[in-house]
Amino acid sequence: MECTIEELKMAIRQKEAPMKVAQTRLEERIKRPNMELCCDQPQHRLVCEVYTIDATIQTLKQRLQESQNALQLLVQTKSVLEYDIAVKANSLFIDQEKCMGMRRTLPNTPRLIGCTQLNAGHYCARPPPEKKPCNCGCKGKKKVT
């Protein structure tokens, strides 16, 4: 985008010299001594050339303005994205560094759901009732998956 802006600025500068030449020739032609104003073919071509160069310069200036606006929008978008990334990185830091320490001190999942028997990868989701079998069909033990 920056390259495009520089190329447009250079193109505008390159059009200024031909514009000055055409305007100078037109002015010299109008101010000729001992000559009445004439509207011949060279006169019409010089006027047409001045208008054409001026239209080209105006188009280049318009494109330059559009490119600068687009660049400014991209810079603003980049700033917003960088801010979002910083917020998310801070959130990850808080989660990993500060919260994980507290999570390690909390009881693990089997203790939270009420298991009292841990035997070689088996557990029951409910505490065993007094000499009554589980209704879930595990006969007091379930395979850990």
Side-chain angles (χ1 to χ4, degrees):
M1 186 63 73
E2 290 92 358
C3 295
T4 304
I5 290 174
E6 291 303 317
E7 289 173 359
L8 286 170
K9 286 180 180 179
M10 187 176 5
I12 291 171
R13 283 192 301 267
Q14 289 174 348
K15 289 291 181 187
E16 289 174 356
M19 177 68 137
K20 287 180 183 179
V21 169
Q23 287 174 337
T24 303
R25 286 182 181 164
L26 189 59
E27 188 176 327
E28 290 297 319
R29 194 166 163 74
I30 291 172
K31 294 182 180 179
R32 288 184 295 181
N34 299 326
M35 192 62 106
E36 291 184 20
L37 292 177
C38 64
C39 293
D40 56 355
Q41 186 68 19
Q43 177 78 16
H44 289 294
R45 288 188 155 221
L46 280 174
V47 171
C48 185
E49 183 179 357
V50 168
Y51 284 130
T52 303
I53 294 173
D54 186 51
T56 304
I57 290 174
Q58 294 306 317
T59 302
L60 288 171
K61 285 182 178 180
Q62 181 182 359
R63 288 187 182 160
L64 176 64
Q65 185 64 40
E66 291 170 359
S67 296
Q68 287 173 336
N69 290 342
L71 179 63
Q72 186 177 11
L73 182 64
L74 286 172
V75 167
Q76 289 173 347
T77 303
K78 179 184 174 189
S79 175
V80 168
L81 290 173
E82 286 175 345
Y83 175 77
D84 287 346
I85 288 171
V87 167
K88 290 176 182 177
N90 186 38
S91 297
L92 285 173
F93 170 76
I94 290 171
D95 187 52
Q96 291 173 350
E97 298 298 323
K98 296 188 177 185
C99 294
M100 285 304 281
M102 285 191 290
R103 286 185 191 149
R104 287 186 189 113
T105 62
L106 296 175
N108 56 10
T109 305
R111 288 184 56 203
L112 287 176
I113 60 174
C115 182
T116 58
Q117 298 177 358
L118 290 173
N119 293 330
H122 293 82
Y123 72 92
C124 180
R126 295 179 238 161
E130 298 176 18
K131 299 191 182 194
K132 291 182 182 176
C134 267
N135 293 334
C136 67
C138 71
K139 298 181 182 175
K141 298 182 181 182
K142 284 189 180 178
K143 184 77 174 167
V144 176
T145 54

